[in-house]
Amino acid sequence: MKLLLDENLSDRIIHRIIDLYPDSAHVKTLALTNTDDLIIWEYANTNNFVIASKDSDFHQRSLLYGHPPKFIYLRIGNSPTSKIVQILRDNFYTIILFWNSEVESILVLM
């Protein structure tokens, strides 16, 4: 399972979670910064990513269209990168269960 981190998350997170989430990427490394959410959504869908973001727009899109792609909504406000890394690491098994669920589209982490 691989994550696609939105631009509102630091690209420095990737090297700190790659051991748990191989082949994960940041929109910056894929030249998708300042790109419409629909394009990121379609890219994630086509390339089998789970989107991780603090952006409520993805939350709305996920409610409207379901999955794929799946969406991890990080409801954490302005938090340091270390806290985001810790949330993604601490919730690894929850995220795997979410990934394997056939009915869940959104996972909210706080």
Side-chain angles (χ1 to χ4, degrees), residues 4-41:
L4 177 58
L5 302 185
D6 192 22
E7 63 187 294
N8 57 24
L9 301 173
S10 172
D11 60 337
R12 294 175 296 159
I13 294 171
I14 293 294
H15 78 275
R16 296 172 66 186
I17 62 167
I18 203 73
D19 60 318
L20 295 178
Y21 307 99
D23 301 318
S24 292
H26 190 277
V27 294
K28 180 179 176 182
T29 60
L30 300 172
L32 293 172
T33 50
N34 299 319
T35 302
D36 186 82
D37 288 345
L38 177 59
I39 293 170
I40 294 169
W41 183 268

Side-chain angles (χ1 to χ4, degrees), residues 2 4 20-22 24 34-35 37 40 44 49 53-54 62 64-65 74 85 90 93 101 107:
K2 56 188 180 176
L4 177 58
L20 295 178
Y21 307 99
S24 292
N34 299 319
T35 302
D37 288 345
I40 294 169
F49 279 100
S53 178
K54 297 189 294 183
S62 191
L64 286 172
Y65 302 112
L74 298 167
V85 167
D90 288 350
Y93 292 108
S101 170
L107 174 63

Side-chain angles (χ1 to χ4, degrees), residues 30-97:
L30 300 172
L32 293 172
T33 50
N34 299 319
T35 302
D36 186 82
D37 288 345
L38 177 59
I39 293 170
I40 294 169
W41 183 268
E42 290 173 351
Y43 184 90
N45 186 23
T46 301
N47 294 283
N48 206 28
F49 279 100
V50 173
I51 298 171
S53 178
K54 297 189 294 183
D55 188 345
S56 63
D57 291 344
F58 283 116
H59 180 249
Q60 293 300 319
R61 185 175 300 281
S62 191
L63 289 173
L64 286 172
Y65 302 112
H67 64 280
K70 293 193 173 218
F71 172 60
I72 298 172
Y73 190 19
L74 298 167
R75 302 263 331 244
I76 53 173
N78 289 334
S79 297
T81 297
S82 59
K83 180 176 179 179
I84 297 166
V85 167
Q86 196 62 50
I87 288 170
L88 293 172
R89 294 188 73 78
D90 288 350
N91 288 283
F92 175 72
Y93 292 108
T94 301
I95 293 170
I96 293 298
L97 289 173

Side-chain angles (χ1 to χ4, degrees), residues 66-68 70 96-106:
H67 64 280
K70 293 193 173 218
I96 293 298
L97 289 173
F98 166 66
W99 169 251
N100 289 321
S101 170
E102 293 188 20
V103 295
E104 295 177 281
S105 296
I106 303 168

